[in-house]
């Protein structure tokens, strides 16, 4: 084992040799042997080995392995020095190997080391993006779970920081190709992160690019399979995949496959849906997603059939007026409950799809059915007027901070819901029914949008992935507006302000079971 003095002496030989440095193989070998010494010798070796690495290609493997030994040393300062110098080994055919090594080193729990590894990966990314991606995806596909998890998060957070000259079209094509391999077996959280990665690529900002992403999501959602409402994983997968798809839809990228699946498979089973997420109104979540997608539905094969399913579901939430006794009082003990949040979603979806078959109510329904529907609409509209007056009275004169209280926030949303329903009902009361009015769904930001106008893509995942995956989506406690009592009193519905969450659980093979735990040693 060389001493500190010997290391310095051999360093001097190599430094003074200038262009003939490659002739001093023995001197470089002494430096390589420094990794077997004490703390001081190892620190020097960590600095000296990379400095002359490029001059001794025949000792490349020995040099890289010696540096890796230092990356795993018990002394944290030695490890950090060794990791910091790793990019100097990333030359030619060695680069993918160095990228693979650095990716494995992401599993460190030392924050300073972790940052050094991140910086080193970014450094070699700028040298050779495709080679670096080879190392990263190699570990994502075959590495241990902790390495896989952190490699995916590295891509989801760091790719967007790289300049255009690094993320060329060829590099983005490689990311897409490799991502498709990974998506064959991903957990829910991983899927969300990959959608974040892919939707941020410049080459996928086009109509055809967005269409590719929608097809990827559709494959994950298993839209070819029969929907099982009693399987929480099946329900959760569909909802989470649909949440990823919604921001991708536009007048040129249609939601038809998803809307068709919701109408045919989900709506008939709405009351049977199960969810593992405590406190989540799963039925309302489904109806919200359907409403958001309905604006971008293209030509549908079974439009009349699916419109009828939507119509029948709408009727379930639009009660007939209670029968009145001879004295004019209600014969029943209770007024029907008006589920405004549900009706907003269903009525909006019906209004959007109804534009494609405008004679549905007049030509496709018999006279008795149409009369029944108009009675229900009229009764609902009367209840709406009561609530709209009450809400406007409650909010009258309130501005600024007063409107920011939780109670008033809920009332503001409630007013949006009731106003939306009111506008849509007025359209349907026209003779013949009209489908011209436009409204902004109560949970969406208000903006002037022409019918079918392309929306800006939204990022529905969190800004930076958490270190630990939550058991389920983080959701605010549901906020429920309880209107004052009166002839048309009922629950106004549940108002959810939560951010879209990540998947619950994981996916294995073609299902959502857990990925197999991998147990591997050092793969360098």
């Amino acid at each position: 084992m060389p001493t500190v003095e010997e290391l310095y002496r051999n360093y001097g030989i190599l430094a003074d040799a200038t262009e003939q440095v490659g002739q001093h193989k023995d001197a470089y070998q002494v430096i390589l042997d420094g990794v077997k010494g004490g703390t001081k010798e190892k620190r020097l070796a960590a600095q000296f080995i990379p400095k002359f690495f490029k001059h001794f290609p025949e000792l490349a493997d020995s040099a890289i392995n010696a540096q890796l030994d230092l990356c795993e040393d018990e002394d944290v300062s030695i490890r950090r020095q060794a990791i910091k110098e790793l990019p100097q080994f990333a030359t030619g055919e060695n680069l993918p190997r160095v990228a693979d090594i650095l990716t494995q080193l992401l599993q460190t729990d030392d924050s300073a080391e972790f940052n050094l590894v991140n910086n080193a990966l970014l450094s070699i990314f700028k040298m050779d993006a495709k080679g670096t991606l080879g190392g990263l995806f190699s570990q994502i596909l075959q590495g241990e779970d902790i390495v896989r998890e952190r490699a995916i998060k590295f891509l989801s957070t760091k790719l967007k920081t790289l300049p255009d000259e690094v993320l060329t079209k060829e590099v983005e094509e490689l990311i897409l190709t490799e991502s498709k391999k990974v998506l064959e077996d991903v957990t829910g959280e991983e899927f969300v992160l990959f959608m974040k990665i892919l939707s941020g690529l410049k080459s996928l900002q086009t109509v055809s690019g967005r269409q590719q992403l929608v097809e990827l999501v559709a494959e994950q959602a298993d839209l070819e399979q029969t929907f099982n409402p009693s399987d929480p994983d099946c329900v959760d997968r569909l909802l989470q995949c649909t949440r990823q798809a919604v921001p991708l839809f536009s007048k040129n990228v249609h939601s038809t496959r998803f809307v068709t699946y919701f109408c045919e498979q989900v709506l008939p089973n709405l009351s049977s849906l199960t969810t593992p997420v405590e406190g989540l109104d799963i039925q309302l979540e489904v109806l919200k997603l359907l409403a958001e997608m309905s604006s971008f539905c293209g030509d549908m094969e079974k439009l009349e059939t699916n419109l009828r399913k939507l119509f029948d579901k709408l009727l379930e939430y639009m009660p007939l007026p209670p029968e009145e006794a001879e004295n004019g009082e209600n014969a029943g003990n209770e007024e029907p409950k008006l589920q405004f949040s549900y009706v907003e979603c269903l009525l909006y979806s019906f209004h959007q799809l109804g534009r494609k078959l405008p004679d549905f109510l007049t030509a496709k329904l018999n006279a008795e059915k149409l009369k029944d529907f108009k009675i229900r609409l009229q009764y609902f509209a009367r209840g709406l007027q009561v609530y709209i007056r009450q809400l406007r009275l409650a909010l009258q004169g309130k501005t600024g901070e007063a409107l920011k209280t939780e109670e008033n926030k809920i009332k503001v949303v409630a007013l949006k819901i009731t106003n939306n329903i009111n506008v849509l009902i007025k359209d349907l009361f026209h003779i013949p029914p009209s489908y011209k009015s436009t409204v902004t769904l109560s949970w969406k930001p208000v903006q002037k949008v022409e019918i079918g106008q392309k929306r800006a893509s939204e990022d529905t995942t969190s800004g930076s992935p958490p270190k630990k995956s939550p058991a389920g989506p983080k959701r605010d406690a549901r906020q429920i507006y309880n209107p004052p009592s009166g002839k048309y009193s009922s629950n106004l519905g549940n108002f959810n302000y939560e951010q879209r969450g990540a998947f619950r659980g994981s996916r294995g093979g073609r299902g959502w079971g857990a990925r197999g735990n991998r147990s591997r040693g050092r793969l360098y």
Side-chain angles (χ1 to χ4, degrees):
M1 277 184 303
T3 63
V4 170
E5 291 75 16
E6 288 174 318
L7 287 172
Y8 272 119
R9 185 170 63 252
N10 284 279
Y11 174 84
I13 292 171
L14 295 174
D16 293 339
T18 59
E19 293 181 4
Q20 282 73 45
V21 63
Q23 298 176 12
H24 299 277
K25 184 176 176 182
D26 291 344
Y28 191 60
Q29 184 62 57
V30 171
I31 290 174
L32 293 182
D33 292 340
V35 301
K36 301 170 185 174
T39 301
K40 291 180 180 179
E41 289 79 9
K42 288 178 180 178
R43 284 179 183 167
L44 288 175
Q47 299 173 59
F48 295 169
I49 292 172
K51 187 170 181 65
F52 301 103
F53 170 74
K54 64 182 179 180
H55 299 291
F56 300 97
E58 69 278 16
L59 292 176
D61 282 346
S62 298
I64 291 174
N65 287 331
Q67 193 78 3
L68 293 181
D69 286 338
L70 298 175
C71 289
E72 295 181 335
D73 196 82
E74 293 181 359
D75 188 315
V76 66
S77 64
I78 293 174
R79 292 202 306 271
R80 291 176 185 174
Q81 182 64 46
I83 291 169
K84 183 180 178 182
E85 303 293 345
L86 272 179
Q88 294 195 53
F89 295 86
T91 57
E93 61 185 19
N94 294 316
L95 190 140
R97 184 184 176 192
V98 173
D100 190 287
I101 292 163
L102 284 168
T103 304
Q104 292 183 63
L105 291 173
L106 285 170
Q107 65 188 291
T108 179
D109 292 324
D110 181 281
S111 59
E113 275 184 56
F114 185 77
N115 289 333
L116 284 171
V117 173
N118 272 267
N119 291 336
L121 274 170
L122 284 173
S123 175
I124 66 170
F125 221 116
K126 292 170 184 176
M127 298 179 200
D128 180 356
K130 292 173 79 171
T132 306
L133 286 168
L136 280 160
F137 276 103
S138 170
Q139 285 302 314
I140 289 171
L141 287 165
Q142 302 174 43
E144 295 181 34
D145 285 348
I146 182 64
V147 174
R148 174 185 171 101
E149 175 189 339
R150 292 187 179 179
I152 294 172
K153 287 185 178 178
F154 172 86
L155 288 174
S156 71
T157 56
K158 302 300 182 184
L159 279 183
K160 60 188 177 185
T161 68
L162 295 169
D164 291 347
E165 57 266 26
V166 174
L167 284 181
T168 62
K169 185 178 179 182
E170 283 188 358
V171 170
E172 291 195 345
E173 286 174 354
L174 177 62
I175 293 170
L176 177 60
T177 300
E178 294 300 313
S179 295
K180 285 179 178 179
K181 296 177 186 176
V182 180
L183 288 173
E184 292 178 6
D185 178 15
V186 288
T187 67
E189 185 186 1
E190 288 171 350
F191 175 63
V192 172
L193 290 176
F194 267 102
M195 287 306 299
K196 178 182 176 183
I197 292 165
L198 296 176
S199 60
L201 300 179
K202 295 188 301 296
S203 58
L204 295 180
Q205 302 298 321
T206 61
V207 169
S208 61
R210 288 310 197 204
Q211 190 61 55
Q212 279 190 73
L213 292 179
V214 168
E215 288 166 6
L216 277 178
V217 178
E219 184 180 344
Q220 288 291 322
D222 281 341
L223 296 184
E224 302 302 322
Q225 300 298 316
T226 302
F227 181 65
N228 182 0
S230 60
D231 180 358
D233 282 341
C234 179
V235 175
D236 193 52
R237 179 178 66 233
L238 177 64
L239 261 65
Q240 293 289 11
C241 287
T242 306
R243 285 174 184 145
Q244 297 304 309
V246 164
L248 302 171
F249 297 134
S250 69
K251 66 177 181 180
N252 295 315
V253 181
H254 294 157
S255 58
T256 314
R257 282 185 70 187
F258 283 84
V259 173
T260 299
Y261 191 84
F262 270 59
C263 289
E264 293 179 352
Q265 301 267 351
V266 185
L267 279 183
N269 296 298
L270 193 65
S271 60
S272 307
L273 297 178
T274 53
T275 175
V277 183
E278 186 178 351
L280 173 65
D281 187 339
I282 187 69
Q283 295 181 41
L284 182 57
E285 282 293 295
V286 165
L287 295 179
K288 280 182 173 182
L289 289 169
L290 176 59
E292 289 190 53
M293 293 189 294
S294 64
S295 304
F296 303 104
C297 185
D299 295 333
M300 186 181 287
E301 281 187 22
K302 301 177 182 177
L303 178 59
E304 183 181 340
T305 301
N306 289 329
L307 200 52
R308 192 174 295 274
K309 290 179 189 292
L310 190 51
F311 177 78
D312 290 342
K313 186 57 64 175
L314 175 61
L315 289 185
E316 291 180 25
Y317 294 95
M318 300 202 70
L320 286 165
E323 295 181 9
E324 293 190 353
E326 292 181 5
N327 60 3
E329 297 293 328
N330 288 344
N333 294 326
E334 289 185 5
E335 293 282 346
K337 295 205 170 187
L338 307 183
Q339 300 283 358
F340 290 109
S341 294
Y342 286 44
V343 170
E344 179 196 17
C345 298
L346 286 163
L347 199 56
Y348 182 89
S349 301
F350 178 78
H351 193 266
Q352 292 294 318
L353 296 187
R355 289 174 176 166
K356 300 177 180 300
L357 193 63
D359 65 346
F360 175 81
L361 290 174
T362 53
K364 308 300 180 182
L365 294 181
N366 60 47
E368 195 62 35
K369 193 90 170 174
L370 179 59
K371 180 182 176 182
D372 172 84
F373 182 52
K374 291 208 167 184
I375 290 172
R376 293 171 188 265
L377 281 178
Q378 191 172 39
Y379 175 69
F380 210 97
R382 286 162 60 195
L384 273 178
Q385 297 308 317
V386 172
Y387 284 127
I388 289 173
R389 282 196 300 271
Q390 291 172 342
L391 289 166
R392 284 178 176 165
L393 186 63
L395 294 170
Q396 190 173 6
K398 291 183 171 63
T399 57
E401 292 300 317
L403 289 175
K404 293 181 182 178
T405 66
E406 288 306 308
E407 182 181 355
N408 284 332
K409 279 183 185 176
I410 294 170
K411 287 178 181 176
V412 168
V413 176
L415 187 57
K416 287 181 184 178
I417 292 174
T418 48
N419 279 331
N420 282 349
I421 297 173
N422 195 38
V423 169
L424 298 175
I425 285 179
K426 282 181 179 178
D427 251 18
L428 297 181
F429 262 125
H430 283 138
I431 300 175
S434 169
Y435 299 92
K436 294 180 180 178
S437 294
T438 59
V439 298
T440 300
L441 291 164
S442 59
W443 62 92
K444 303 292 286 181
V446 178
Q447 54 186 350
K448 291 184 179 179
V449 180
E450 296 294 330
I451 297 173
Q453 180 179 327
K454 185 175 181 179
R455 301 173 302 165
S457 175
E458 299 167 3
D459 186 357
T460 57
T461 59
S462 56
S464 58
K467 289 186 178 179
K468 298 290 182 184
S469 305
K474 291 182 180 178
R475 302 187 178 274
D476 297 335
R478 287 186 298 163
Q479 298 165 304
I480 300 175
Y481 170 62
N482 295 312
S485 59
K487 184 173 181 182
Y488 298 102
S489 287
S490 65
N491 286 332
L492 193 55
N494 303 321
F495 300 94
N496 233 323
Y497 292 103
E498 80 278 2
Q499 197 72 13
R500 300 298 191 199
F503 285 92
R504 183 204 69 81
S506 52
R507 178 181 177 92
R510 297 304 299 162
W512 283 84
R515 293 178 66 249
N517 289 325
R518 299 172 171 83
S519 179
R520 289 183 171 81
R522 171 165 150 178
L523 299 176
Y524 310 132

